[in-house]
Amino acid sequence: RAFLPEENTAPGSGPVVILSHSCWQNRFGADSAILGRSLKLNDADYTVIGVAPEGFKGFSAEAEMWVPISMYHTLWPQTAQFNFLANRDVHFHRVLGRLKPGVDRSRAQSDMETIAARLEQAYPKENANRSALVVPAQERLVGDVRPALFVLLGAVAFVLLIACANVASLMLARSAARGREIAIRRALGAGRWRLVRQLLTESTVVALMGGAAGLLVAVWGVDLLVSILPITLPKFAAAGIDRGVLIFTLTISILTGLILGLVPALQASKLDLRESLKEGGRSLGGSVKGRRTRSLLIVTEIALALVLMIGAGLMLKSFRQMQTVRTGFEPDRLLTMRFDVPNKKYEGDERLNVGQRLIERLETVAGVESVAITFTDPFLWDGLNRGFTVEGAPADPPGVQDTVYFHDISPNYFQTMRIPFAEGRDLATTDNNKAPRVAIVSRAFARRYWPGGEAIGKRIKYGPLDSKHSWMTIVGVVENVKFVNLRHDLDAFPIVYVPLLQSEVVINLNVMARTRGNPAEMASTIRDEIQRFDTEMPVYNISTMQERLSEQAGETRSYTMLMGLFAALALLLSVVGIYGVMSYMVTERTREIGIRMALGASRRDVLRLVITQGMALAFAGIAIGLGGALALTRFMESLLYEVSATDTATFAVLSLLLAAVAALASYLPARRATRVDPMVALRYE
């Protein structure tokens, strides 16, 4: 069963838990007798009342169990003093709701604003200037990845268009080559629309075969695609081959075949029978209209390919920037892992000192250079964003309070992380709960609240001015660091560091160990030492800092790989297209080239003629592609890091690269044209 109303609202109810389907299978062997059994979670006994449906993860892809929010403090008794559920000064909760039939988002938003206004009147101190925002669950779940998915969808569409342009060009050439065949069919009585149907059928069959081949690749390729994308979607949004994908593929294949075959079919059906049936009926240059159409397709291919190449180039440059980003600390040889402090085993001063005792033990491990303990976990959990007051600063308006991230740390933290001091002193083991409260702030914090002044000796406190929290004296200022996200501005992320020995809550802690060698090789040794210190301390989230940073850049890396793949495919298709068109043009104009050479044109003249025509198409496509890239890359700005969407160097280098490749694709057919024997070319003239 699900939770009962009283279990969601009454903290006094017996602790209950619902298991995820995967947890029930993997941890309990799908035991059908699991209902009613007792589980110990954080030293508290919980009764299993249900197993969630298979695939259900709610709003967390990693959720394995659910407990009523009213029982939050049963899991973490140390947080009871904050009273997160009853304290109206706490605003981090989120509410899920399902709209009634016929109720739209605007009406729901209006109702929530009315409720928020009543709360503001009833509780002006805690709820002043606060409202509620109604957001669709789908937007909440996939909103962050929507821009990236649209960019990738656009890249796929561009590759499809380039491929279609290639096929259309080939079909135009094939249609021109079959001119005599079609003329004979018409002379024998075939109607125009019958010929059109025949050619459309041929092109549609080819398109369907291509769609089927692509679908076979997608059956195994989609798993590879999802594996390299750092996007976690809920079960209902999982990527896979389903009926909708099959229908989409079939529709696209049929439409592609019809569209690609329509223009060649219409052109073929309008052939002049007398000219087509003459043995030498073709004009020296072939069909002018056909050449123009093929030239237009090539220009389109090159333009689309350049847009994709520039997009991939910008992503690659962003990834390189993230690889060399300045974090403010030294990530090399740094290992991090998290452990829980048992609730009932450690209390009072013993709980506050457990981290320092563990440091002293880990520092004796061979290969460990220095160790620090923190409450927060770099790039996984950014800590508590709490309201605070600066002594002597103007009072905040009612309901308004500045917030900042507070990091509870042990002595030796800055030495372990290699974060330099700007001024002041480090924390010491004497900064405990019996000593006056102290804090260390980042340079960004000091500049924001004491610009041009001295931060050392100033005082701050948690909460508003009238809160019961003690004042903390600032004893040091350290350089800024990136702790939450590599994309954050290094100088715009203020942090306050407070002694772990003076912490109000010790739930789970993070070990930061700097090793003398490879940190990954020390992971099991340090984990085992923690387990020997206390077998009831579960250790998890083990990784090196370099791995954490790599994960931070993982999204950009994945998009770069995909965009690079699409760009390379687009470039290859464009080269094939240029080569094909120029080769066909040389074949089509063999007699013209023979006449030119018979009248005195040199091989160099013929080479220049063919390459010039090919490069004219390339430069036209590049010009259009540059304009398209300027217009479209601005939609990628949210994916870029410290790179402008109109980066001049990227635009210039990739344009030159595409021009060089186009020149090579034109040169090969041009060389073949120079080998035309005038006597052979003019044999039937």
Side-chain angles (χ1 to χ4, degrees):
R1 66 172 177 84
F3 300 130
L4 299 175
E6 57 268 25
E7 290 169 340
N8 271 309
T9 57
S13 303
V16 293
V17 61
I18 294 176
L19 308 180
S20 70
H21 192 274
S22 59
C23 176
W24 174 55
Q25 286 189 321
N26 299 334
R27 293 180 179 267
F28 303 100
D31 185 3
S32 58
I34 191 69
L35 297 181
R37 282 176 53 181
S38 179
L39 298 182
K40 188 175 289 295
L41 306 177
N42 284 11
D43 287 336
D45 292 320
Y46 279 74
T47 302
V48 179
I49 61 170
V51 176
E54 185 176 3
F56 176 80
K57 288 294 185 181
F59 270 60
S60 171
E62 299 177 351
E64 291 191 273
M65 300 179 183
W66 293 270
V67 300
I69 195 170
S70 63
M71 300 173 186
Y72 180 89
H73 300 309
T74 307
L75 283 174
W76 292 286
Q78 291 74 27
T79 63
Q81 59 179 305
F82 296 105
N83 203 2
F84 288 146
L85 296 177
N87 189 346
R88 291 191 173 274
D89 196 31
V90 176
H91 300 284
F92 62 75
H93 296 101
R94 283 188 167 81
V95 180
L96 307 180
R98 187 173 296 280
L99 300 182
K100 291 180 178 179
V103 177
D104 59 12
R105 178 182 173 183
S106 60
R107 179 179 170 185
Q109 181 65 53
S110 176
D111 289 347
M112 291 305 302
E113 289 173 356
T114 301
I115 294 173
R118 292 172 183 168
L119 288 171
E120 184 176 4
Q121 292 178 353
Y123 308 97
K125 179 180 178 181
E126 296 89 354
N127 284 73
N129 301 317
R130 287 191 176 273
S131 186
L133 179 64
V134 177
V135 180
Q138 184 178 17
E139 181 178 319
R140 173 76 181 167
L141 285 167
V142 301
D144 292 341
V145 302
R146 189 187 303 272
L149 293 180
F150 274 123
V151 168
L152 294 178
L153 179 62
V156 172
F158 276 25
V159 172
L160 176 62
L161 288 174
I162 293 172
C164 288
N166 256 351
V167 176
S169 179
L170 292 172
M171 295 192 73
L172 281 170
R174 183 169 178 267
S175 174
R178 296 175 65 186
R180 289 174 59 81
E181 172 200 339
I182 293 172
I184 292 173
R185 289 179 181 274
R186 283 192 58 192
L188 293 176
R192 175 175 295 179
W193 289 110
R194 180 164 183 176
L195 291 172
V196 170
R197 288 199 304 271
Q198 174 192 340
L199 295 175
L200 287 179
T201 301
E202 292 176 1
S203 64
T204 303
V205 169
V206 171
L208 287 174
M209 291 174 63
L215 195 60
L216 288 175
V217 175
V219 168
W220 62 266
V222 68
D223 293 331
L224 176 63
L225 176 67
V226 173
S227 68
I228 66 175
L229 279 177
I231 299 175
T232 302
L233 296 176
K235 183 68 176 179
F236 66 81
I241 305 297
D242 55 16
R243 184 171 59 180
V245 174
L246 294 175
I247 294 174
F248 177 79
T249 304
L250 179 62
T251 303
I252 288 294
S253 298
I254 293 175
L255 288 176
T256 300
L258 292 175
I259 294 172
L260 292 182
L262 187 59
V263 174
L266 290 177
Q267 285 191 4
S269 67
K270 297 178 182 179
L271 287 174
D272 187 320
L273 290 183
R274 289 187 305 171
E275 290 297 323
S276 298
L277 293 175
K278 287 180 181 179
E279 188 174 12
R282 266 191 319 174
S283 64
L284 292 180
S287 170
V288 175
K289 187 174 182 180
R291 288 205 307 273
R292 286 178 178 173
T293 303
R294 289 192 293 273
S295 297
L296 179 61
L297 290 173
I298 289 299
V299 169
T300 303
E301 282 188 51
I302 294 174
L304 294 175
L306 182 59
V307 173
L308 278 181
M309 290 172 63
I310 289 175
L314 293 174
M315 291 297 300
L316 178 60
K317 198 166 186 178
S318 292
F319 179 63
R320 289 183 59 189
Q321 290 290 102
M322 293 194 77
Q323 292 293 94
T324 59
V325 65
R326 189 165 61 94
T327 60
F329 62 88
E330 293 183 16
D332 297 336
R333 297 185 293 109
L334 200 58
L335 180 69
T336 175
M337 60 183 69
R338 200 158 185 81
F339 65 93
D340 285 350
V341 180
N343 289 331
K344 297 178 181 178
K345 194 170 183 179
Y346 300 93
E347 296 180 353
D349 290 349
E350 189 179 12
R351 192 173 186 86
L352 285 174
N353 292 324
V354 66
Q356 192 59 38
R357 289 173 51 201
L358 185 59
I359 289 175
E360 294 169 359
R361 180 160 184 157
L362 293 178
E363 284 181 335
T364 63
V365 175
V368 174
E369 185 175 313
S370 62
V371 180
I373 302 289
T374 69
F375 183 49
T376 48
D377 202 353
F379 300 109
L380 280 186
W381 183 55
D382 43 24
L384 297 176
N385 191 342
R386 304 184 62 177
F388 69 98
T389 300
V390 175
E391 185 179 33
D396 293 321
V400 177
Q401 190 176 20
D402 207 351
T403 61
V404 71
Y405 281 105
F406 283 82
H407 293 336
D408 297 70
I409 63 172
S410 69
N412 209 34
Y413 172 79
F414 299 108
Q415 178 184 344
T416 301
M417 295 289 287
R418 300 289 193 268
I419 301 175
F421 268 78
E423 55 181 327
R425 70 170 177 88
D426 199 350
L427 299 178
T429 55
T430 54
D431 294 317
N432 52 38
N433 63 334
K434 297 180 176 59
R437 301 275 174 172
V438 296
I440 293 175
V441 300
S442 65
R443 186 185 288 272
F445 187 95
R447 286 176 177 171
R448 177 179 296 186
Y449 296 99
W450 300 284
E454 178 72 27
I456 302 297
K458 300 294 192 300
R459 300 200 303 173
I460 60 176
K461 69 185 302 188
Y462 294 130
L465 185 62
D466 57 355
S467 71
K468 297 179 181 179
H469 295 287
S470 302
W471 287 101
M472 296 177 286
T473 302
I474 296 175
V475 297
V477 177
V478 294
E479 297 297 339
N480 301 324
V481 297
K482 292 191 176 185
F483 189 86
V484 180
N485 194 310
L486 287 179
R487 293 178 178 269
H488 285 170
D489 186 356
L490 189 64
D491 298 323
F493 195 69
I495 299 175
V496 174
Y497 303 91
V498 295
L500 187 63
L501 294 171
Q502 296 180 348
S503 179
E504 298 176 341
V505 178
V506 176
I507 303 175
N508 39 33
L509 299 174
N510 192 66
V511 174
M512 308 294 297
R514 184 168 294 278
T515 63
R516 293 186 173 87
N518 186 348
E521 296 175 356
M522 293 293 299
S524 59
T525 302
I526 296 176
R527 180 192 59 208
D528 293 343
E529 192 64 30
I530 296 175
Q531 294 282 274
R532 280 192 288 270
F533 176 80
D534 191 330
T535 57
E536 297 182 23
M537 284 184 174
V539 182
Y540 53 99
N541 285 354
I542 303 175
S543 64
T544 67
M545 189 57 66
Q546 288 289 8
E547 290 173 342
R548 293 274 178 91
L549 296 178
S550 180
E551 289 172 4
Q552 278 282 305
E555 180 177 341
T556 302
R557 180 178 62 250
S558 298
Y559 296 144
T560 301
M561 289 172 56
L562 287 173
M563 288 293 292
L565 175 64
F566 294 143
L569 186 56
L571 180 61
L572 177 62
L573 290 173
S574 299
V575 170
V576 170
I578 296 173
Y579 177 81
V581 166
M582 299 308 297
S583 294
Y584 180 75
M585 185 195 75
V586 169
T587 303
E588 190 179 47
R589 302 175 66 181
T590 298
R591 284 176 294 172
E592 175 193 340
I593 294 173
I595 292 174
R596 288 178 179 272
M597 296 183 71
L599 294 177
S602 65
R603 294 182 183 275
R604 180 176 297 179
D605 294 331
V606 174
L607 188 70
R608 186 185 305 114
L609 171 68
V610 178
I611 292 180
T612 300
Q613 290 179 345
M615 293 309 296
L617 299 178
F619 286 132
I622 289 172
I624 297 173
L626 286 173
L630 286 171
L632 295 176
T633 51
R634 60 189 179 90
F635 295 107
M636 296 177 57
E637 287 181 347
S638 62
L639 305 178
L640 303 179
Y641 175 73
E642 292 188 357
V643 176
S644 170
T646 57
D647 184 64
T648 304
T650 303
F651 277 62
V653 170
L654 292 175
S655 297
L656 292 174
L657 174 62
L658 184 55
V661 173
L664 179 61
S666 300
Y667 174 74
L668 298 177
R671 280 198 63 186
R672 184 157 57 86
T674 62
R675 297 171 183 168
V676 171
D677 187 342
M679 294 300 296
V680 175
L682 301 176
R683 180 175 297 167
Y684 298 106
E685 282 297 317

